[in-house]
Amino acid sequence: MKSSFKIIVIIAIVAIAVIPAQGQVRFGVKGGITINELKWDKNILSSENKAGFTGGLMLEVGLPVVGLGIDGSVLYAHRENEMYMDGIKLKRDYIDFPINVKYKIQIPVISKIFAPFVSTGPDFALLLSDSDTGDFKTRKWNTSWNVGFGAELFRKLQIHANYGIGLTKAFEYINKEVESTTVKGKDKYWTITAAYLF
């Protein structure tokens, strides 16, 4: 898994360095909400979904292929869950690095006002801080895969709904009461954002 992660990071860095020379580059600011769910690999744990927030900067590069582009962001993200055990709240703050391939559906004339799009790509999250969660151990790096859809309005405003599927564990919990059973949890979350492009 570590080697795959390194390969993805290298590809992303090369793409960000090379692609701007080939297409239209736009910068923007982005903000929105996240709704986070934890998927545990054993059924002895469950949690309640909680809303968080996200915001930061984005870069969109339009490729020579009509409608195709790459969207990269640097975002602050706050995620939260409440466990069904003594009301424990798992609060985490990340710096998120989502990199999406985006395809805008081109409709003559209408695209200048309204252009729907679909997107997909990896998301790398670096943990900044977390709540004191006792037996819950938070992973410092978390990798997810995003699938999303949205629309661009007047070539300036983008509304984007994104679903992130955790590829690596976000938490590890050791249940000392059940023969020291280790339970691993992965993030699954919706992110809904609005971005203004300059």
Side-chain angles (χ1 to χ4, degrees), residues 1-92:
M1 192 62 165
K2 288 184 179 179
S3 60
S4 299
F5 176 76
K6 289 178 183 177
I7 291 170
I8 292 172
V9 171
I10 291 169
I11 291 171
I13 291 171
V14 171
I16 290 170
V18 173
I19 289 173
Q22 305 296 321
Q24 178 188 9
V25 179
R26 298 193 297 168
F27 294 91
V29 292
K30 180 187 287 189
I33 63 168
T34 64
I35 301 171
N36 192 68
E37 173 189 358
L38 285 173
K39 182 69 175 178
W40 301 97
D41 65 350
K42 295 182 178 68
N43 292 328
I44 62 174
L45 288 181
S46 60
S47 61
E48 181 182 348
N49 300 347
K50 290 287 186 178
F53 55 88
T54 186
L57 303 174
M58 68 172 285
L59 169 71
E60 183 184 85
V61 180
L63 301 179
V65 179
V66 175
L68 199 62
I70 291 183
D71 175 336
S73 301
V74 178
L75 304 170
Y76 169 84
H78 176 79
R79 295 177 188 156
E80 189 172 329
N81 298 90
E82 185 168 349
M83 302 300 299
Y84 292 126
M85 48 187 301
D86 301 325
I88 294 174
K89 292 186 178 180
L90 305 178
K91 298 180 181 181
R92 297 164 286 153

Side-chain angles (χ1 to χ4, degrees), residues 33-38 50 77 79 92 96 98 121-125 142-147 161-167 186-192:
I33 63 168
T34 64
I35 301 171
N36 192 68
E37 173 189 358
L38 285 173
K50 290 287 186 178
R79 295 177 188 156
R92 297 164 286 153
D96 263 353
D123 184 339
F124 309 102
N142 195 6
T143 307
S144 303
W145 192 268
N146 292 329
V147 179
N162 214 44
Y163 186 66
I165 303 166
L167 300 177
K186 293 182 179 179
D187 276 320
K188 291 193 175 184
Y189 54 88
W190 279 99
T191 304
I192 301 171

Side-chain angles (χ1 to χ4, degrees), residues 9 18 25 56 67 87 118 135 157 160 165 170 178 181:
V9 171
V18 173
V25 179
V118 292
D135 294 331
L157 180 65
H160 194 187
I165 303 166
V178 186
T181 301

